[in-house]
Amino acid sequence: MQKIAKAPFYKDKTDSMYIMLDVIIALIPVCIMAIVKFGIRALFIMLLAVGSCVFFEWLWNKLRHEESTIKDLSACVTGLLLALSFVVTVPYWIIVFASFIAIIVIKQLPGGIGKNTFNPAVFARVFCKITLTPYITNWVSPRPDMVSTATPLQYLGNGVEHVPDNMPMLSDLFMGNIGGNLGEPVKWAIIVGYVYLVARRTINPWMPIATLGGLFFTMTLFGQSDYYFGLYHILTGTVMFAAVFMVTDYTSGPVNYRARIIYALFIGVFTGILRYLFNLPGGIGIAIITMNLFAPLFDMMFVPRVFGFKGPISVFNDDH
């Protein structure tokens, strides 16, 4: 009698390391433009963040006598995302502290990659934003002047319904001729990374679009149907960077395909609400970690129909 092999029947070499490597490659244009715009200190911040995250990952494995997980590159990705989420003037000690929060507290304490509720880089950045604001909000303009400046988002919240006069043009926002965090100014570099990740089938292509679409719809509504106002919000702040590299995180989001798109849409809508009603410039970080909490609920709401089953689907009992 012929034996039948057990599932899985289809195997792929794709694993965490390959996915993380794709993300690192996609971040290269953003990293290069961060150095071009803000100088060599941007490179030092990136190296410090990656090194700190890898060190804390190694230290955790060492203290617990576990096999090293450094080779999956997830700590490297967390470090890069962290670095690109801060301003170039951030003190180095904050980068090390944020790395500790991201790797030890948010990633490893719950059980490591795949078991963390929150996106480590996003949570660490939001935590630092809440507790250490005076140290991490000194935005500077890109080279060559590198003087302290305000970001456009500081003039768009708190019930503002139109883009004030004398604000940067959309072309300046797209090309990165404004102040901000390292990874946010140059939007075309983010788009290059997005195209690469989609071409590699590493991310769900609709999640960033759903996030930006949700923000655009919300701000256009608040702006009395001013499409320019909605578009301006998309091109300001960290929302485009986060939509591509953070909202699409596998671990902290839903599993179901449709659930992931709705989840991303809610992040965009909630970001707009935070910006307009609560005067929180950016708001994307809080929106992401809030929706991280509801990720299981999104999966429950969009349970796939079992092939051949024609009755109603209930997500609140186990009869089906």
Side-chain angles (χ1 to χ4, degrees), residues 161-182:
E161 298 179 347
H162 65 279
V163 179
D165 297 332
N166 301 322
M167 293 285 281
M169 298 180 63
L170 292 180
S171 58
D172 290 322
L173 300 179
F174 188 78
M175 297 303 296
N177 299 324
I178 57 171
N181 297 325
L182 293 178

Side-chain angles (χ1 to χ4, degrees), residues 296-319:
L297 180 60
F298 281 102
D299 272 327
M300 291 175 62
M301 292 171 60
F302 295 93
V303 177
R305 180 177 293 275
V306 177
F307 181 76
F309 181 76
K310 298 182 179 180
I313 295 179
S314 172
V315 298
F316 299 106
N317 62 63
D318 297 326
D319 296 338

